[in-house]
């Protein structure tokens, strides 16, 4: 098996979303059941189209450990029938300048031996979740939501991270540590793509909100029982 990726470019961001929702959700079980697929994931980029550093149009990359040529031969009729798909291109990692023999080798080279292997195993899980999300929700969930009579817990997409961490055995402190790591990581990524000033502005926004939260937290602590819950 060898590493490869297939880049799909679309006429619009709406076409990209339709491709993910309609084609990838249907195709992924075929990929994973086939002899040409050993592991893989995908990236979708329409959310970055409004930024100077983002793609001007819809863009999806399917990344795989397997036989990229066989995948193309099996699926290209589906691609050619998809309205809004502008182009697709297969890139084999053994033909790049680095000459990686596998996707796992490429991940280890970029992320380190342990980190690369963990990412190689985690990213397929993320892909399966994302496609299950698109199958389960026709609408796009808000990232966060206010508490209302109809949404008493403020359920929104953020809650997925909480549920997964609980289901995987992590506690309160693990979850706050993960959130802190995520914010630090995203600020550096924001700087890489949008510049240092963008990262500083977002840091200042986060700091202002966090400092202001102290009063809200103290009010909540005064109005609610504490230290008496028997289960998280």
């Amino acid at each position: 098996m060898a590493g490869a990726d297939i880049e799909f470019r679309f006429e619009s961001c709406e076409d990209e979303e339709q491709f993910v929702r309609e084609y990838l959700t249907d195709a992924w079980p075929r990929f994973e059941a086939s002899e040409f697929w050993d592991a893989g994931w995908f990236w979708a980029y329409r959310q970055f189209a409004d930024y100077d550093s983002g793609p001007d149009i819809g863009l999806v990359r399917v990344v795989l450990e397997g036989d990229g040529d066989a995948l193309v031969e099996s699926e290209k009729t589906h691609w050619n029938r998809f309205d809004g798909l502008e182009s697709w291109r297969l890139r084999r990692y053994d033909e790049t300048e680095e000459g990686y023999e596998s996707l796992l080798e490429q991940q280890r080279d970029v992320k380190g031996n342990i980190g690369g292997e963990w990412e190689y195993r985690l990213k397929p899980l993320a892909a399966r979740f994302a496609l299950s999300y698109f199958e389960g929700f026709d609408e796009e969930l808000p990232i966060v939501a206010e508490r209302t009579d109809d949404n008493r817990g403020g359920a929104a997409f953020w809650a997925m991270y909480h549920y997964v961490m609980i289901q995987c055995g992590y506690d309160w402190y693990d979850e706050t540590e993960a959130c802190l790591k995520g914010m630090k990581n995203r600020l550096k990524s924001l700087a890489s793509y949008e510049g240092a000033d963008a990262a500083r502005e977002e840091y200042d926004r986060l700091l202002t909100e966090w400092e202001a939260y102290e009063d809200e937290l103290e009010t909540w602590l005064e109005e609610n029982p504490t230290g008496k819950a028997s289960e998280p």
Side-chain angles (χ1 to χ4, degrees), residues 7 14 21 29-30 46 57 59 63 67 79-80 106 109 117 125 141 145-146 162 179 181-182 194 196-197 199 201 205:
E7 180 179 277
E14 291 74 20
R21 285 185 175 274
R30 291 199 303 272
R46 65 188 179 279
I57 54 177
L59 172 65
V63 183
D67 186 338
W79 308 340
N80 293 334
Q106 184 266 344
D109 182 56
E117 182 175 344
L125 301 181
L141 292 183
E146 298 296 328
H162 168 63
C179 292
K181 171 65 176 180
E194 293 297 298
D197 287 344
E201 288 173 9
R205 185 188 72 82

Side-chain angles (χ1 to χ4, degrees), residues 45-61:
Y45 293 98
R46 65 188 179 279
Q47 64 271 35
F48 301 109
D50 291 337
Y51 298 95
D52 292 339
S53 57
D56 294 332
I57 54 177
L59 172 65
V60 168
R61 287 194 182 96

